[in-house]
Amino acid sequence: MSEKNQSNGNFFDSEEVVDDARRRCLKTLAEFLLPATIGAVLAASYVLIFSRGSSRSIFHHICNGFFLAAVLLMGCGGLSLVNKEGFFDVIQFGFKQLKETFQYAIRMDVQSRVDTDFDTFQKEKNKKRKGHWQWVVVGSVYLLGAVITLQFV
């Protein structure tokens, strides 16, 4: 055996494990980067737009910008988590059935009719589902920033 393949009985000496851990860390960082960037753009836009010609302090506008970003990020993330649990399945299934009915009515072809049942639909959706809890965490950080900034208003 070569020296590269020997791990001396230690699981964490393997380069593959380190590379995999580094890849997971970078992926997690990238998942937090998008909502953080969106929140920063929202907060900065609010401050730049509404601070012009205002008699209020800049901290007031920064607090409002952070709060706006927090509400939007936590709302989007929360709805994503609720959707992941299947709360909107009946509504989505109804729209899918409606779409299939209209397609059948346009074509009037018996072969093109698709009958999907709710269980099959739910199983397909469960395979694709993903919750964006990172958005909620980043939104909470922006909310914390708004509360801290509120102390200076």
Side-chain angles (χ1 to χ4, degrees), residues 3-18:
E3 287 184 34
K4 209 177 216 184
N5 292 337
Q6 290 180 348
S7 63
N8 295 331
N10 190 350
F11 177 74
F12 295 104
D13 284 343
S14 175
E15 290 179 18
E16 294 173 8
V17 172
V18 172

Side-chain angles (χ1 to χ4, degrees), residues 4-50:
K4 209 177 216 184
N5 292 337
Q6 290 180 348
S7 63
N8 295 331
N10 190 350
F11 177 74
F12 295 104
D13 284 343
S14 175
E15 290 179 18
E16 294 173 8
V17 172
V18 172
D19 288 341
D20 187 43
R22 187 174 294 137
R23 232 179 281 124
R24 278 184 291 164
C25 182
L26 289 175
K27 182 180 177 188
T28 303
L29 181 64
E31 289 173 349
F32 279 99
L33 193 60
L34 177 65
T37 304
I38 291 172
V41 167
L42 285 171
S45 298
Y46 183 90
V47 170
L48 291 174
I49 291 171
F50 290 104

Side-chain angles (χ1 to χ4, degrees), residues 103-104 107-115:
Q103 286 177 345
Y104 172 71
R107 294 187 187 127
M108 292 305 266
D109 183 18
V110 178
Q111 301 293 337
S112 67
R113 182 156 177 95
V114 179
D115 288 325

Side-chain angles (χ1 to χ4, degrees), residues 89-104:
D89 280 356
V90 173
I91 297 168
Q92 291 174 348
F93 181 71
F95 279 120
K96 183 176 181 178
Q97 288 288 86
L98 189 64
K99 181 183 115 182
E100 289 175 358
T101 302
F102 280 128
Q103 286 177 345
Y104 172 71

Side-chain angles (χ1 to χ4, degrees), residues 86-151:
F87 188 74
F88 302 116
D89 280 356
V90 173
I91 297 168
Q92 291 174 348
F93 181 71
F95 279 120
K96 183 176 181 178
Q97 288 288 86
L98 189 64
K99 181 183 115 182
E100 289 175 358
T101 302
F102 280 128
Q103 286 177 345
Y104 172 71
I106 291 170
R107 294 187 187 127
M108 292 305 266
D109 183 18
V110 178
Q111 301 293 337
S112 67
R113 182 156 177 95
V114 179
D115 288 325
T116 56
D117 60 337
F118 186 67
D119 291 332
T120 307
F121 173 78
Q122 226 173 6
K123 288 177 185 173
E124 290 174 5
K125 291 293 282 184
N126 285 337
K127 291 177 187 175
K128 299 178 193 176
R129 285 205 172 115
K130 181 170 116 169
H132 296 289
W133 58 271
Q134 301 89 351
W135 289 65
V136 177
V137 171
V138 172
S140 301
V141 170
Y142 276 104
L143 186 62
L144 181 67
V147 169
I148 291 171
T149 310
L150 184 62
Q151 304 303 317

